[in-house]
Amino acid sequence: MNYYEVEFKLKIVKEYLEGTLGGRALAKKYGLPSNDLIYSWKHSYQLFGKKESYLISNGKRIVWYC
C-alpha cells in the first residue's frame, strides 16, 4: 500500500475539480496506479474538507488527513 502526502492529494483533487484533466489523465500524469484513488480523495474532500476524516467504502477504511 502506498502512502501519499496530504499536500499531494489536495493538489490532485484541486486540479481535478478545476476540470482541466479527468481522473484517468491525472492518474497517468502523476503515476498513480488507478484513477479510483482520485475519485476517493475527491469524495472525501467534498464530504469532510481539510480535516481528519474517515470514509468507509466496501469494507475498507479510507483515511483523509488534512
Side-chain angles (χ1 to χ4, degrees), residues 1-53:
M1 179 177 197
N2 293 328
Y3 174 78
Y4 299 99
E5 295 289 333
V6 172
E7 294 80 19
F8 179 72
K9 292 178 185 179
L10 285 172
K11 176 182 176 179
I12 293 172
V13 167
K14 288 178 181 180
E15 192 171 337
Y16 177 79
L17 292 174
E18 287 173 1
T20 55
L21 294 174
R24 285 186 192 164
L26 284 169
K28 185 175 181 179
K29 177 180 176 180
Y30 290 102
L32 298 172
S34 170
N35 58 334
D36 291 337
L37 284 172
I38 296 169
Y39 301 130
S40 174
W41 296 342
K42 177 195 70 92
H43 184 69
S44 294
Y45 178 76
Q46 289 176 325
L47 283 176
F48 304 108
K50 294 175 65 174
K51 61 182 176 181
E52 181 180 339
S53 60

